[in-house]
Amino acid sequence: MVSYVNVFLYGMGGIVVAGIALLVAFQERLVYVPVLPGLTKSYPITPARLRLSYEDVWLRSSDGVRLHAWFIKLFPDCTGLCLSLWLAVHELVVDSEVANEDLNLEQAIFDIAHRLEMVRIMIQRLQCNVFMLSYRGYGASDGYPSQHGITKDAQAALDHLVQRTDIDTSRIVVFGRSLGGAVGAVLTKNNPEKVAALILENTFTSILDMAGVLLPFLKWFIGGSGSKNPKVLNFVVRSPWSTIDITGQIKQPILFLSGLQDEMVPPVHMQMLYAKAAAHNRRCTFMEFPTGMHMDTWLAGGDHYWRTVQLFLEQNVPQNSDDSSSNQGNDAEAR
């Protein structure tokens, strides 16, 4: 009997050790998915497919990596100040897996179209421009993703925006969903004079906490700052993205948008982020959407979603009178 118990314990120990070894070796592949198997990094569609006016923007991060972004415009010929501007810090690629190359391509087209449809509605409902960045390793950008590198990429994007003369640089709002929320939180905290507000949607507290969600046995060994017991393997995680620690340091207004049917990030993560931020920042707003999933909260939330965002912007990033006059003129020209 004892021998069977020993065999079982050794077997379980071997599984745990093997799992941890795989995590250490391939953790970036779990966190970052630059391209699906069988696909190239090129975009299946562009904003032009949805009749959106846009500009291809090429940047260099501070360590020399060449980056690609889309600046999607409210008006085709935008001169002077063009309303508010959003920096959408999320990758321009798909993040789900399907079985074969044909389905991969179909899914890739659907996913990017889904995101661009959100952008189209965002521009229409909020009267804004949108800047979408491909992190290093994603889309047409060079390099390989890492927390350190992606942080540099987001900073390069923001530095580009504040130098533009065709936008109101006092009204830059960072929007991030999922990993983009983690990136956006760091960017907002590091740039209190450049970023006017932050919007987080379905974002995790940290990769340390997500490790236990994706691989439940890891919760005994890896965990975030709120974990009750010491997590002896936290040091092996190269991209911890501890969003909950960052949000507690942000001074700008923050809007939290949480889909309660999120199938990837447990909704309690958003509640914890809000609680941590609100303890130090009175300009925090939390809104739940009962039927929202990880990627479609904007769609499931419908008009209520967009009215929530619009009200947040009106209260925290108001438009000045000069911009209003200019925009009325642009509206007339557009009509």
Side-chain angles (χ1 to χ4, degrees):
M1 181 66 180
V2 174
S3 61
Y4 286 113
V5 172
N6 288 340
V7 169
F8 174 78
L9 292 176
Y10 282 127
M12 290 300 295
I15 292 173
V16 171
V17 170
I20 293 171
L22 289 172
L23 174 69
V24 172
F26 299 106
Q27 58 184 274
E28 275 83 6
R29 296 189 182 183
L30 296 175
V31 178
Y32 311 111
V33 187
V35 64
L36 294 179
L39 290 182
T40 65
K41 287 174 57 180
S42 59
Y43 308 123
I45 64 173
T46 70
R49 180 79 165 265
L50 276 70
R51 298 183 179 180
L52 295 171
S53 177
Y54 77 103
E55 171 189 339
D56 280 302
V57 178
W58 296 95
L59 309 168
R60 290 227 176 244
S61 64
S62 60
D63 57 353
V65 176
R66 188 170 182 258
L67 308 171
H68 177 255
W70 287 333
F71 179 59
I72 305 177
K73 304 175 182 179
L74 172 63
F75 301 113
D77 299 316
C78 188
T79 58
L81 299 180
C82 291
L83 293 167
S84 59
L85 183 134
W86 293 63
L87 172 66
V89 285
H90 59 76
E91 66 278 10
L92 297 176
V93 296
V94 295
D95 54 10
S96 57
E97 294 188 11
V98 285
N100 57 57
E101 184 170 343
D102 291 338
L103 287 178
N104 279 353
L105 181 57
E106 181 180 341
Q107 178 67 24
I109 293 173
F110 171 80
D111 191 87
I112 295 179
H114 184 73
R115 297 186 186 205
L116 288 175
E117 176 63 14
M118 178 192 177
V119 169
R120 186 187 68 79
I121 296 175
M122 178 185 288
I123 290 173
Q124 182 183 62
R125 292 293 299 263
L126 305 177
Q127 293 287 285
C128 64
N129 303 300
V130 176
F131 191 91
M132 299 181 74
L133 171 68
S134 285
Y135 308 137
R136 61 185 62 202
Y138 287 83
S141 296
D142 295 339
Y144 300 92
S146 68
Q147 178 171 340
H148 183 68
I150 289 175
T151 300
K152 290 179 177 291
D153 299 343
Q155 187 65 52
L158 179 60
D159 291 343
H160 165 80
L161 292 178
V162 297
Q163 294 175 10
R164 294 187 71 110
T165 58
D166 57 352
I167 64 170
D168 184 349
T169 56
S170 70
R171 304 180 69 224
I172 295 177
V173 178
V174 173
F175 171 90
R177 177 192 295 136
S178 193
L179 174 62
V183 181
V186 173
L187 185 66
T188 302
K189 191 267 289 185
N190 290 343
N191 296 272
E193 303 301 322
K194 296 179 181 179
V195 176
L198 171 66
I199 299 176
L200 297 180
E201 181 177 316
N202 298 336
T203 298
F204 47 76
T205 54
S206 71
I207 290 297
L208 299 173
D209 291 328
M210 283 299 295
V213 174
L214 298 173
L215 300 172
F217 74 90
L218 287 176
K219 67 183 179 181
W220 301 104
F221 307 97
I222 297 174
S225 58
S227 300
K228 296 180 180 179
N229 301 318
K231 304 301 180 180
V232 296
L233 294 180
N234 280 3
F235 73 93
V236 306
V237 179
R238 292 186 287 270
S239 293
W241 290 113
S242 188
T243 313
I244 193 165
D245 293 327
I246 296 297
T247 53
Q249 303 174 52
I250 293 174
K251 306 301 182 184
Q252 299 98 310
I254 310 175
L255 173 61
F256 297 83
L257 303 171
S258 177
L260 297 186
Q261 301 303 315
D262 193 327
E263 73 284 10
M264 294 184 64
V265 178
V268 68
H269 282 226
M270 285 292 288
Q271 296 168 12
M272 294 170 65
L273 289 175
Y274 170 72
K276 184 64 176 285
H280 306 277
N281 184 348
R282 295 184 178 181
R283 296 185 294 171
C284 292
T285 304
F286 185 86
M287 188 62 65
E288 295 178 335
F289 300 90
T291 60
M293 299 179 71
H294 190 65
M295 295 296 292
D296 78 345
T297 298
W298 65 273
L299 187 60
D303 186 63
H304 179 47
Y305 178 97
W306 293 112
R307 283 190 288 108
T308 297
V309 177
Q310 187 173 30
L311 180 61
F312 172 78
L313 294 177
E314 290 174 354
Q315 293 176 342
N316 296 284
V317 194
Q319 185 176 0
N320 64 55
S321 58
D322 291 339
D323 285 352
S324 179
S325 300
S326 175
N327 293 329
Q328 290 174 2
N330 283 326
D331 284 338
E333 291 179 8
R335 289 193 294 268

